[in-house]
């Protein structure tokens, strides 16, 4: 059986799928913005991806001391934030869920600073606006589609972002095979193109791989 991963996997990650042939074809590339100048403290900051954390703390060397309260999407984003000395005050599985948490649990918030990419979902912004919370957006990285045609038989496809799906369908037909997605937002996009869509139990690459094994073994 052959599984297409639309991003490169680490050696440890590939070992989780040792029983399968893995085809690694990245469908997106990330370009990090430079020159992010921050001199004042951010009271309420939101990070919705690992790439946004990398952009701020690694590519622009922003000090963790400038952030008072930080909220994020996903366990992987939380883990990377903590590695940079950030204590995460709240976490959601996706942007809409995080918005509900911010609205219900932190009712003193009137403005958030969102560090994001160019292909972001509008769920967070719209829900914040509906509840009178201003959103200042900082676009700190860009996702570029790198579609590639796949000319071999596949038994499953692994997607890690909506943009990866958009890139794939530019040069490939939507196949009638299992598609495993990293969370609800990616699955929502997948359902526009594929019939057999599955969601990982948590928003980590490892969870996607485990779900793929589960689906293919049924």
């Amino acid at each position: 059986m052959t599984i297409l991963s639309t991003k490169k996997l680490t050696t440890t990650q590939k070992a989780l799928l040792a029983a399968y042939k893995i085809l690694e074809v990245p469908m997106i590339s990330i370009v990090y913005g430079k020159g992010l100048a921050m001199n004042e403290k951010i009271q309420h900051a939101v990070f919705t991806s690992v790439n946004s954390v990398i952009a701020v703390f690694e590519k622009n060397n922003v000090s963790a001391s400038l952030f008072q309260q930080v909220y994020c999407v996903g366990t992987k984003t939380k883990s990377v934030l903590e590695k940079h000395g950030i204590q995460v005050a709240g976490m959601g599985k996706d942007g809409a869920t995080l918005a509900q948490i911010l609205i219900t649990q932190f009712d003193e918030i009137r403005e958030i600073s969102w560090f994001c990419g160019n292909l972001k979902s509008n769920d967070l912004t719209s829900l914040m606006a509906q509840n009178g919370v201003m959103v200042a957006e900082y676009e700190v990285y860009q996702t570029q589609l790198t579609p590639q045609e796949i000319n071999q038989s596949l038994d499953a496809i692994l997607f890690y972002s909506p943009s990866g799906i958009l890139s794939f369908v530019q040069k490939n037909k939507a196949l009638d095979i299992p598609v495993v997605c990293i969370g609800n937002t990616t699955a929502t996009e997948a359902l526009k193109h594929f019939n057999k869509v599955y969601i990982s139990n948590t928003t980590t690459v490892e969870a996607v791989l485990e779900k793929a094994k589960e689906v293919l073994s049924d």
Side-chain angles (χ1 to χ4, degrees):
M1 284 187 160
T2 301
I3 299 175
L4 170 65
S5 174
T6 54
K7 69 172 289 179
K8 289 286 187 181
L9 302 174
T10 66
T11 301
T12 303
Q13 289 167 346
K14 283 187 284 190
L16 295 175
L17 295 176
Y20 303 92
K21 179 182 178 182
I22 305 172
L23 180 64
E24 299 171 275
V25 183
M27 291 287 170
I28 62 172
S29 63
I30 303 299
V31 178
Y32 295 102
K34 297 293 181 68
L36 177 64
M38 296 180 60
N39 301 313
E40 297 181 356
K41 282 200 171 186
I42 300 293
Q43 188 172 5
H44 299 288
V46 170
F47 292 85
T48 49
S49 71
V50 170
N51 286 320
S52 59
V53 180
I54 293 172
V56 171
F57 296 103
E58 296 180 20
K59 303 300 181 179
N60 284 279
N61 296 314
V62 175
S63 172
S65 64
L66 288 175
F67 296 87
Q68 294 183 342
Q69 296 287 333
V70 176
Y71 317 91
C72 74
V73 168
T75 55
K76 185 65 174 178
T77 306
K78 181 175 183 287
S79 175
V80 177
L81 281 165
E82 290 172 343
K83 289 178 181 177
H84 289 281
I86 296 291
Q87 184 174 352
V88 177
M91 183 191 76
K93 63 180 181 180
D94 51 38
T97 304
L98 179 61
Q100 292 295 340
I101 292 172
L102 295 177
I103 293 163
T104 57
Q105 295 186 18
F106 303 93
D107 57 5
E108 80 283 0
I109 296 177
R110 292 295 172 263
E111 180 177 357
I112 63 172
S113 298
W114 182 17
F115 296 87
C116 55
N118 60 316
L119 299 182
K120 59 193 175 297
S121 166
N122 291 321
D123 291 347
L124 180 71
T125 303
S126 60
L127 286 169
M128 292 286 96
Q130 290 170 24
N131 288 273
V133 180
M134 292 181 58
V135 180
E137 295 182 5
Y138 294 82
E139 186 179 300
V140 292
Y141 71 94
Q142 289 194 335
T143 300
Q144 298 181 347
L145 306 188
T146 57
Q148 297 189 55
E149 187 176 358
I150 307 300
N151 293 311
Q152 67 181 82
S153 177
L154 301 173
D155 296 287
I157 307 174
L158 312 182
F159 287 115
Y160 311 91
S161 67
S163 52
I165 297 170
L166 294 174
S167 181
F168 176 87
V169 298
Q170 280 191 13
K171 289 194 174 182
N172 302 277
K173 292 181 179 179
L175 305 172
D176 190 28
I177 59 174
V179 166
V180 183
C181 299
I182 190 167
N184 294 331
T185 304
T186 303
T188 298
E189 182 61 40
L191 285 168
K192 298 175 184 177
H193 310 278
F194 300 92
N195 295 321
K196 300 176 182 177
V197 176
Y198 300 85
I199 307 174
S200 58
N201 294 333
T202 61
T203 53
T204 64
V205 173
E206 289 76 13
V208 172
L209 307 181
E210 292 293 348
K211 177 62 71 171
K213 287 198 297 185
E214 176 187 323
V215 170
L216 291 173
S217 64
D218 287 345

